[in-house]
Amino acid sequence: MNDKENKTNNENMNSQPENSNKMEEIISLAKRRGFIFQGSEIYGGLAGTWDYGPLGVILKNRVKNLWWQNFIEKRNDIYGLDAAILMNSKIWEASGHVSGFNDPLVEDLKTKKRYRADHLLEDAGYEVAGKTSEEMDALIKENKILSPDGNELSQVKKFNMMFKTEIGVSGTGDSVSYLRPETAGGIFVNYKNVLDSMHPKMPFGIGQIGKAFRNEIAPRDFIFRTREFEQMEIEYFIHPDNWEVEFEKWVESLREFNNLVGLRKEDVFEVEVSDEDRAHYSKRTIDFEFNYPFGQKELYGLAYRTNYDLSKHSEASNQKLEYFNDQTGERFIPHVIEPSIGVDRLILAILTTAYSKDNVGGEERTVLKLSPEIAPYQIAVFPLLKNKEILVNKAKEVFESLNQENWRVTFDDNGNIGKRYRRQDEIGTPFCVTVDFETIETEKDGENNPLLNTVTIRNRDTGEQDRIQISELKNYFKEKIN
Ligand code: GAP
């Protein structure tokens, strides 16, 4: 049932990386500068898990905040939710995940290494769109496809991707639960609670951000395909007659969101998912694919899920999950449009877009061109020299005063000024403020020194510097950042 993952007909369209080293360089920068670390690293790691470090967590929170503000806070028609990760296992039976959330697994008969059959077939140049496990098995046999180590492969098996766990102490097996494989489940089972407590008028949505877990056979490509990841999902409840109009509105809203987080239009591709590739519950799906360094791959999806989920949950729980329109007297089970965004894939798209190399003042540098809205720090404040108390004190004063505003400010006095600029460029800080000797100079012209109490502001993208009065700094940044 992990249908969209099996759908790959378009994924390789643009798969020639513009820079084959770019991915390695991004991973290296992410580690070196405290964005993203390998999970459980000091114990040799745990495949498919990554930890967000001090700067990564700020970036991630900023992106999640933008989504939350844009779709939940600013809109009157969408409500927020934070449902439990552990849920009654009947939910996943009703939704079809227990029986059908499978990926096609094959094993190298010699090394016992496991692979996704669809990935091996694609790598060998075969079309797997819409193929069943049995059909993939036949393709492997007919064409004598071998494992990457050159050995024979086992029969294709269906591998359920949910992580199973037990609740409580009984150990009898009747207390089985699952780590949720999508946040959507928590939304569907709270539909009635939101309806009864908030009395929304249709159309309305429920959105949440949270962790999801999938026991991926082959996690790969850094934070692109992991076993633990985050989703930002909305179920938007509609009358079925309006689904086409509502779907188009969502396409437009998602385009605006891509722009808000700084993705370039030319890097995002809207791919209509074909009938044979769509999940069984979906009548229409558009995948928003992104031009990652390892090729064009799914960033997130927009699906018209009909009333499949609410109907299944209504049947299995014996609860009425209808909507009553008091204007028309109509009762019906609402249909849903679902924009489902993977946070980590979006972070990787943002890092890919922002990562660049250029030349400033004749020197090559690496720079993350993040917008001030999502950059971990918006302003860095430096004293020109670390060992001149008078400069350090003045710089601390400037830092404190900017920090009182709602900006993310950092103080940096490590190494020489050139090194500090390089460091701030690499973490994407748009502005660096330097307190230098002119800032405090009174010897020549005393209080009449026109540069007294001025600082330099260096622009990350152009390398150009403005010199302005400290008293004007807040106005300057209000214009540039807010
Ligand atoms: N509720 C619908 C749903 O979960 P999906 O296409 O299976 O649909 C939605 O997942 C999004 O979640 C994907 O487009 C992707 O952004 C993200 N996602 C899915 N599996 C992932 C994984 N193993 N690692 C990272 N992100 C993943």
Side-chain angles (χ1 to χ4, degrees), residues 2 4-5 182 184 214 216 223-226 229 231 233 281 298-301 305 338 340-342 345:
N2 190 17
K4 289 172 67 199
E5 291 291 307
E182 57 172 9
R214 296 182 189 178
E216 295 281 353
I223 52 172
F224 178 82
R225 187 185 307 287
T226 54
F229 54 96
Q231 291 183 315
E233 296 201 295
Y281 51 70
E298 178 185 326
L299 167 59
Y300 60 77
R305 273 180 93 130
E338 180 195 63
S340 172
I341 303 182
R345 286 191 187 181

